[in-house]
Amino acid sequence: MSDLLQPRGEAVIAPRDLRGRRGLFARQPLAVLGAAIIVVMALAALGAPLIAPVDPLALDPLRRLRPPSEINWFGTDQFGRDVFSRVVFGARVSLIVGVAVAALSVAIGLAIGLAAGYVHWLDAVVMRVMDGLMAIPGVLLAIALVSLSGASLTTVIVAITVPEVPRVVRLVRSVVLSVREEPYVEAAIAVGTRLPLILVRHVLPNSIPPLIVQATYICASAMLTEAILSFLGAGTPPEIPSWGNMMAEGRLFFPIAPRIVLLPGVALALTILAVNVLGDGLRDRLDPKLAKRM
Amino acid sequence: MTASSPVLDIQGLTVRLPAGADRLNAVEDVSFAVGPGEIVCVVGESGSGKSVTAHSIMGLLPPGQLTPTAGRILLEGDDLLRKSPAALRALRGHRMAMIFQEPMTALNPVMRVGEQIEEVLAIHTRFDAAARRQRVLDVMRSVHLPDVERLIDAYPHQLSGGQRQRIMIAAALVLDPVLLIADEPTTALDVTTQAQILKLIKELQSRRKTGVLFITHDFGVVAEIAHRVVVMQNGRVVEQGRAEDVLRRPRHAYTRMLIRAVPTLTPPQRAPTGQVPIVLEARQLAKTYVIGGFLGRRREVKAAVNVNLAVRRGETLGVVGESGSGKSTVARCIARLIEPSAGAILLEGTDVAKLTTGALRPHRKRVQIVFQDPYRSLNPRRTVGASIIEGPMNFGVPREAALARARELMRLVDLDPDALSRYPHQFSGGQRQRLCIARALALEPEILIADEAVSALDVSVQAQVLQLLDDVRRRFNLALLFITHDLRVAAQVCDRIVVMQNGEIVEEGVTAEIFRNPRHPYTRALFEAAPGRAFAFGAFETD
C-alpha cells in the first residue's frame, strides 16, 4: 500500500519535460529553422516602413529596370519602383492573409465541427452543407467575389476562408467523435455536467493539438492561393504591393530582368516552406498518433 | 541434440532502456531455459520485463530504443543475439514462432486467413501452391477449426476471437517450430474461449514436442498449463522452478504476494443483507440497437432483453458475463449514459428511464460509475482536483467547500491530498482508479456502478482497489453494482450475482449458493472454464 501513496508517475514525467526544453533544436532542427524564418518575415512585415529604404509605391520613370545597386538592393522594376521595398511590404499581405485565413477558418470550423460532432441530429445536415462548400473551387469563388464586390484584401480573405472551413469542420468532427467516446466524457455526463460545459471543458481542449497543426497548413496554402489570385488579377488590388502582384506585373519583363519575378517568388516559397516545416514539427510534437494516421 | 538439451536457453540477458526512463535496464541478468515439449510460464505484473524478454528472443525489440547489452539467447545452441537480421528472419516462423495478445490486430484485416498461414510456407519452403494449400488445411484442422474448406477463404473479421487466435496458432505452428512464444495469448479472450485455447496449446505442444514460452500475468493460467514457472519483477527473475513448487511452496516474498493476491473461487462468508430497502430496481429493461437503414439492410441488435434486477442498500450485486453478454449495456442504461429502449429504472420508486435531460439532472448524482480503463477515465488535460470537484460544483457546491471535500476523499482513497493539483499522467493505473472512485464519491451517490473497474489492473493492485470498493460500500452504505467477467473477483466481493448471456439474465442468486450449485448450463460452463479452478491459491505448504 505504501508504494501507492507515493505517486510513481513523477519519476517518469520529469526527464521527459527536461528533454522537451533542452534539446528542441537538436531533435527538430528544421522546425526551429522554420520558426526562425517566420519570425524574421513577421518582423520584416511589422517593421516594413523602417526597413524598406524607399516608398514601395514611389514611381521613378528615369530609373526603370535598374540592376541591384547600393540604393536599390534588388534593383528596380519596370516603373522604377524599388523591388526590395516591395518585397518587404509584400510580406505584410502574405502574412495577414495566411494568419487571418487560418484564424478565421479554425474559429468557424471549430464551432461548426464541435456542434456537428456532438449533436447527433445536426451532423448529417451540417456535413452535407460542408460537402457542398468543399466542391467550390477557391480560385473560382474568389474571381466571382472580386467581380461582385471589387478587389480588396477582405474579399481575398473571405474567398480563401470559405473553402477551407469544411476541411477544419471535418477534422474537428472526427476528433470530437473519438473524444466523445472517451470514458472521461461519459464520467462528466454521469456527474451532471451540462452539454456546453462538456464541450468546452472536455472535448475542446483534447481537440486542439491536431487543429494547431491543421492551422499551419491552412496558413501556408492561403498564402499560396493569395499569390495565385493576385497573379490572375483576382486578388489583392494592384496598389497594394503583394508578392503575387509583383510576379504578375513583372512577368512581361522576365527575359530582361528575371529577378523582378524571381525575388518575390523566392520570398513566397521560403515563407510557405517555413510554415509547412513548422507545421510538421508541431505535428510530431503535439500529436504523434495523428501523424501516423495521416 | 539429446532430448534433455534445452530448445531455448537464455543466459544473463540484459536489455538497456533508453536514457531518461525510470530504471536503467528493462531486463537485467535474466536466465532460464525451455526444454523440448515443456511449457514455461513467465509471470509478472506490468513493467516486469516479461514482454521485453519475449521480444528479444524473436529479435523484435524496437531498434534504437531497447538494446540487448549482455547475455546470450541460445536457440538449439545458436546465439540469436549474434545473428544478422536476415538469419533471424529465416529462423522466425521456421524454428521459432510467436502468437500475440490481440488476434484481431495481429492478423491483416484485408488478407484471407488462409493466405496469411500460407505466407509462412511461401517464404520458408518451396512447396507449390497445391501443396501449400493442403498444408494450410491440415494445420487448420489440427487446431480444431470447423469447416476448414470454407474458413480458409474467410477474412479475419468474419471469424470469432477464439477462431482468430486459432488461426494465429496455426500460422505459428505450420512449419513445426521447436519454440513457440505466446505473449498473453488468451488475455483478450472470454474465459470459455480461453479454456479452449489453453487446452489446444497444451495438446499441440505435447503432440509436437514444441517448447512453449508462455507469457502471462494470470496465475490461474499458470496453474492450468505450466510445467515450469519463471517469476519476474522489475526486469529481474526473482524465482523459478517447477510449477508445483512455485505455486505451492513459493520462496520469494514477491511470488507469495502475487499468489496470495489471486482471489479464490470460494466465496467468503458474508452476512445476509436482510430486508433493507431496495434502492435500485430495473424492470423489463431492454436496449436494442438499430444498425443500417436508409440504404443498407436494417438490422436490430438486442444488447439487453428483459433485464430485471434489484439492489438493496449496502449490498453488492455482481453482474457476470462474457463480452457481448450485455452487462455493460445494462450498467450504462442504469447510469443513463445510453437511453434504454424499454423498461423502467426505479431509483427508490422514481422511474428515471424515460426522464428528459433536464428532469434527470437531480437524479444524476444518485448513480455514479467507475469505468474499466484507468488511463482514459480522467481528462488528461485537467488536474485531478478539477475532475473530482466537477460534479459537486455542477450541483452548486462552492469551490472551496468542494475542494475541502476532495481533500477528505483523497485521504479516504489512500492518496496524498496535496496531489490534487497534479495531472492524471502522473499517477499509476491503480492510483487513477482510486481517483475515479473519489470522483464518484464526491457526489455522495446512493448507487455506485463499477464497470469492470479492476479488470485492467495488476493482480496486486486489483486486490487493493477491491478492498477500497468494499470499504466505501460499507462506510457509505452504498448499493454497489459490480460488473465483471472475472468469476474470482465476483466470488470475493458480491453478495448476490446475476449471470448474463446474450443480453439476458440466465441465473440469479446468492453468491455462495451459485458457486456451490450453479443451475444454468452456461453458468456451469463459465465455472468449468475458470483457469486454475482446481488450485487453491494462497494455501501454501510449508517445507
Side-chain angles (χ1 to χ4, degrees), chain A residues 1 3-13 15 19 181-184 186-194 197 201-203 205-206 209 286, chain B residues 19-20 22 332 337 361 364 367-369 371 376-382 390-391 394-395 414-415 422 425-428 430-431 434 439 443 464:
Chain A
M1 190 69 79
D3 73 322
L4 274 168
L5 292 171
Q6 297 297 322
R8 266 188 271 163
E10 247 182 340
V12 186
I13 186 69
R19 271 215 308 277
E181 299 295 322
E182 293 290 322
Y184 59 80
E186 288 201 313
I189 299 173
V191 296
T193 309
R194 288 172 204 273
L197 263 184
R201 254 186 215 165
H202 299 286
V203 180
N206 290 293
L286 293 175
Chain B
D22 56 349
R332 281 179 156 68
L337 292 171
R361 238 177 92 79
R364 276 264 185 234
V367 182
Q368 287 300 305
I369 182 162
F371 297 96
R376 287 166 57 199
S377 306
L378 293 159
N379 186 338
R381 289 172 195 276
R382 310 197 82 211
E390 179 169 6
N394 284 336
F395 289 96
D414 254 331
L415 289 169
R422 296 213 180 106
H425 67 257
Q426 292 168 291
F427 296 87
S428 68
Q431 290 172 331
R434 286 165 189 270
R439 170 175 60 191
L443 279 173
Q464 295 165 358

Side-chain angles (χ1 to χ4, degrees), chain A residues 38-114:
Chain A
I38 293 165
V39 168
V40 170
M41 287 291 176
L43 286 178
L46 281 174
L50 302 172
I51 297 164
V54 191
D55 179 355
L57 298 176
L59 304 177
D60 189 349
L62 294 177
R63 297 170 51 79
R64 294 169 54 202
L65 297 170
R66 290 284 172 89
S69 65
E70 264 177 48
I71 315 163
N72 307 112
W73 294 351
F74 288 0
T76 61
D77 68 2
Q78 68 275 28
F79 300 112
R81 294 174 297 195
D82 180 41
V83 173
F84 177 71
S85 304
R86 289 178 68 76
V87 168
V88 170
F89 271 88
R92 288 189 154 183
V93 175
S94 283
L95 289 180
I96 288 174
V97 170
V99 171
V101 169
L104 273 176
S105 48
V106 164
I108 300 170
L110 189 61
I112 301 177
L114 276 179

Side-chain angles (χ1 to χ4, degrees), chain B residues 380-460:
Chain B
R381 289 172 195 276
R382 310 197 82 211
T383 63
V384 300
S387 287
I388 293 176
I389 64 172
E390 179 169 6
M393 285 179 66
N394 284 336
F395 289 96
V397 176
R399 194 186 168 75
E400 288 312 310
L403 267 177
R405 173 86 181 124
R407 293 181 69 86
E408 275 173 43
L409 286 168
M410 289 291 272
R411 267 189 286 272
L412 181 82
V413 298
D414 254 331
L415 289 169
D416 178 6
D418 293 328
L420 279 176
S421 57
R422 296 213 180 106
Y423 285 88
H425 67 257
Q426 292 168 291
F427 296 87
S428 68
Q431 290 172 331
R432 287 184 215 204
Q433 219 52 326
R434 286 165 189 270
L435 291 167
C436 291
I437 293 171
R439 170 175 60 191
L441 292 178
L443 279 173
E444 295 169 13
E446 294 153 48
I447 298 139
L448 185 62
I449 303 175
D451 186 1
E452 298 275 11
V454 296
S455 306
L457 303 176
D458 276 330
V459 60
S460 60

Side-chain angles (χ1 to χ4, degrees), chain B residues 356-377:
Chain B
T356 58
T357 315
L360 180 68
R361 238 177 92 79
H363 298 289
R364 276 264 185 234
K365 60 190 293 191
R366 302 167 67 184
V367 182
Q368 287 300 305
I369 182 162
V370 177
F371 297 96
Q372 171 170 6
D373 188 345
Y375 294 91
R376 287 166 57 199
S377 306

